[in-house]
Amino acid sequence: MKINFFGLFDYILFFCVLILVCMGISFIYSSGINSEGILVTNEYIKQIVWASVGLVLMIAVSLYDYRKIKRFLNWIAGFFILLLIYTKLFGRYVNGARSWLGFASFGIQPSEFCKIAYIIFLADYFEQTKNEDPKKRFAISLVIMCLPMALILLQPDLGTASVYIPIFIVMCFVAGIPLKYILYFTMVGALSIVFTMIPVWQTEIVHKTYKVVSILTNFRYRVLIIFATTVISCIGIAGMIFFKHNKQFFWVAFVFSALTLSLIASYGFGKVLKDYQLKRLIVYLDPTSDRLGSGWNIIQSKIAIGAGGPFGRGFLNGTQSHYRFLPQQSTDFIFSILSEELGFVGGVIVFVLYLIILLRITFIMLATKNVFGYYIAAGILGMFFFHFVVNVGMVMGIMPITGIPLLFLSYGGSSLWTAMICVGILMSINFRKLDLLET
């Protein structure tokens, strides 16, 4: 099929991405200036290089027929699994996680690129199994998600690992997986997080001891509760078998099996995650409980955003970043710098640009006649939406600090290249939206 490149090129998506990247470079430059007005880092230069290479990658990927990647998909998936294992064993530590390969001046984060392979592999699986049993599809797709996610959690990189969940949920939904399965998975995940966080909440936020929390802190009590919920779950399953038309047994099995799995998973999370990571997740409820520790980032970020007012202090006139009150200000907290210097108006501009990008992805997803492309676009939509909501919510102090970058704006080559490659894939899908031929 001959492609009319300039006629089908998505100029709206391209220019929204380009504006965000340019804004990111500008505020990365601003973050590198100290209180004396001296530029102390060259991060903005690296970001320009990464953005330039990213643009080339984006255009190159858009010209490549995304359907041809099926030929190499198993090899690509295997390569990334091995790369994640290698990173866990031999990678270098950054911010407490062994998730990077390379040298101090240049490194890559394999888990970022793995998200692309994960989306494409899951999309291919859903396309190939669209007529199979939903239970089997859901179970195997869950394994496809859990394998890379578990390897990333072992690094441990909670922020990157968490991105795999919304991708999975969105792709399951558009692939026609029954809502009860998606709800069950979401319930288990949410309860696992709550059960993991409650002991930290008790000791770090309320500073009081509750007897009921001992269920989660005492191993013997936890085992007893797990045994009890397992027995109740089995009763519910037995009732479903013998009384098929009684929905009460279904909900008994549904709720108590979810509790069982959540209690088991939360114990595992508590062992894998470091104490400081758990504290960062919960301290947003009361940042003043640890003003100079885990709560510092949130407090300073909220000060920066509030100081911006309607129109901001002006470009290069921010104080929170120049006086180095904001840690990781060019990466996780880039939106705080932007809001301080451009104010509410600057924040609205970013919101509008992201909204346009998300709407364009939705349009591309709905316009394509290719099921494989449809699933890929849905996965990218879930990833972009999650990155935006969690990062902006994090810097505003309404969501936990998870170390998730704001795509296109935050400093970092791996996340930027991943996002721009995804945009290239979206353009490739859009170029071939009416082409139903297999390649």
Side-chain angles (χ1 to χ4, degrees):
M1 179 182 176
K2 191 174 181 180
I3 301 297
N4 181 4
F5 180 80
F6 293 103
L8 293 174
F9 189 80
D10 198 326
Y11 294 97
I12 296 175
L13 180 60
F14 175 78
F15 282 111
C16 285
V17 168
L18 189 62
I19 292 169
L20 285 173
V21 170
C22 290
M23 290 178 72
I25 292 170
S26 300
F27 287 98
I28 290 169
Y29 174 83
S30 178
S31 72
I33 296 176
N34 63 16
S35 58
E36 298 175 354
I38 300 172
L39 184 66
V40 294
T41 73
N42 65 344
E43 286 183 342
Y44 80 99
I45 296 177
K46 293 181 182 179
Q47 192 74 356
I48 290 173
V49 174
W50 286 329
S52 301
V53 175
L55 283 171
V56 174
L57 289 172
M58 183 175 72
I59 299 301
V61 170
S62 70
L63 293 174
Y64 182 77
D65 190 339
Y66 69 98
R67 296 166 298 182
K68 292 182 178 179
I69 202 169
K70 289 183 179 183
R71 304 170 185 175
F72 321 104
L73 200 49
N74 290 334
W75 290 99
I76 292 172
F79 169 77
F80 274 105
I81 293 299
L82 291 175
L83 192 60
L84 289 177
I85 294 172
Y86 180 85
T87 304
K88 167 59 183 173
L89 296 175
F90 305 107
R92 60 185 177 88
Y93 278 103
V94 176
N95 296 327
R98 192 188 291 273
S99 57
W100 290 80
L101 295 177
F103 304 99
S105 58
F106 178 80
I108 62 168
Q109 194 173 2
S111 55
E112 286 288 341
F113 299 105
C114 188
K115 289 186 290 191
I116 303 174
Y118 163 63
I119 291 172
I120 297 173
F121 191 88
L122 188 57
D124 179 62
Y125 172 74
F126 277 141
E127 184 194 27
Q128 299 298 327
T129 61
K130 55 188 175 184
N131 296 321
E132 293 186 7
D133 179 49
K135 290 181 183 178
K136 179 181 176 182
R137 294 180 80 207
F138 180 72
I140 295 177
S141 64
L142 191 60
V143 173
I144 293 172
M145 179 199 71
C146 288
L147 182 56
M149 187 176 170
L151 292 172
I152 295 169
L153 279 173
L154 289 173
Q155 292 179 356
D157 186 353
L158 179 62
T160 304
S162 65
V163 181
Y164 285 68
I165 297 174
I167 293 172
F168 175 77
I169 292 173
V170 172
M171 293 184 71
C172 281
F173 178 76
V174 300
I177 298 295
L179 285 176
K180 62 182 178 181
Y181 299 149
I182 300 174
L183 176 62
Y184 185 82
F185 169 79
T186 305
M187 183 177 175
V188 171
L191 287 175
S192 298
I193 295 171
V194 170
F195 291 155
T196 305
M197 294 298 106
I198 284 178
V200 184
W201 169 80
Q202 176 181 256
T203 57
E204 302 295 339
I205 302 299
V206 298
H207 302 291
K208 291 173 64 177
T209 301
Y210 295 94
K211 290 184 178 180
V212 69
V213 179
S214 62
I215 295 172
L216 301 174
T217 55
N218 186 295
F219 181 74
R220 183 178 297 178
Y221 289 164
R222 184 190 288 263
V223 171
L224 289 174
I225 295 297
I226 289 174
F227 176 76
T229 55
T230 302
V231 170
I232 298 172
S233 300
C234 291
I235 293 172
I237 294 171
M240 288 169 56
I241 295 172
F242 292 106
F243 305 97
K244 295 182 179 179
H245 299 290
N246 193 326
K247 292 186 177 180
Q248 292 178 344
F249 286 107
F250 167 79
W251 288 111
V252 168
F254 187 94
V255 172
F256 282 92
S257 63
L259 284 171
T260 302
L261 292 175
S262 302
L263 287 167
I264 295 171
S266 63
Y267 181 78
F269 289 157
K271 294 296 182 181
V272 171
L273 298 178
K274 307 294 184 183
D275 290 340
Y276 76 90
Q277 289 178 311
L278 295 173
K279 195 170 182 180
R280 279 169 53 187
L281 283 175
I282 201 69
V283 78
Y284 80 100
L285 294 173
D286 182 15
T288 60
S289 64
D290 189 13
R291 288 179 177 273
L292 301 179
S294 299
W296 175 266
N297 294 5
I298 296 177
I299 293 171
Q300 298 306 319
S301 177
K302 292 169 73 173
I303 290 173
I305 293 172
F311 303 104
R313 296 178 181 270
F315 183 57
L316 302 181
N317 291 323
T319 56
Q320 291 298 105
S321 62
H322 295 172
Y323 282 90
R324 294 296 184 268
F325 289 120
L326 276 171
Q328 300 173 335
Q329 53 192 20
S330 63
T331 53
D332 299 345
F333 291 89
I334 192 72
F335 187 78
S336 304
I337 300 174
L338 184 148
S339 297
E340 183 182 18
E341 298 188 5
L342 295 187
F344 177 77
V345 173
V348 169
I349 291 172
V350 172
F351 269 73
V352 170
L353 289 170
Y354 257 97
L355 177 61
I356 294 172
I357 290 173
L358 295 174
L359 289 174
R360 289 303 301 167
I361 297 173
T362 304
F363 174 80
I364 290 171
M365 183 178 74
L366 297 177
T368 184
K369 302 298 182 183
N370 187 284
V371 177
F372 182 50
Y374 176 75
Y375 292 155
I376 292 175
I380 295 173
L381 176 66
M383 183 180 77
F384 280 18
F385 178 78
F386 185 77
H387 267 273
F388 176 74
V389 170
V390 172
N391 181 274
V392 173
M394 176 183 74
V395 301
M396 288 182 175
I398 58 177
M399 295 193 77
I401 296 178
T402 54
I404 292 178
L406 185 55
L407 297 179
F408 306 115
L409 284 166
S410 293
Y411 170 75
S414 296
S415 62
L416 182 61
W417 284 355
T418 298
M420 298 187 85
I421 289 171
C422 285
V423 173
I425 294 172
L426 290 167
M427 290 182 174
S428 179
I429 295 170
N430 194 46
F431 286 152
R432 300 162 181 87
K433 60 186 176 184
L434 300 178
D435 184 6
L436 299 177
L437 296 176
E438 292 294 334
T439 56

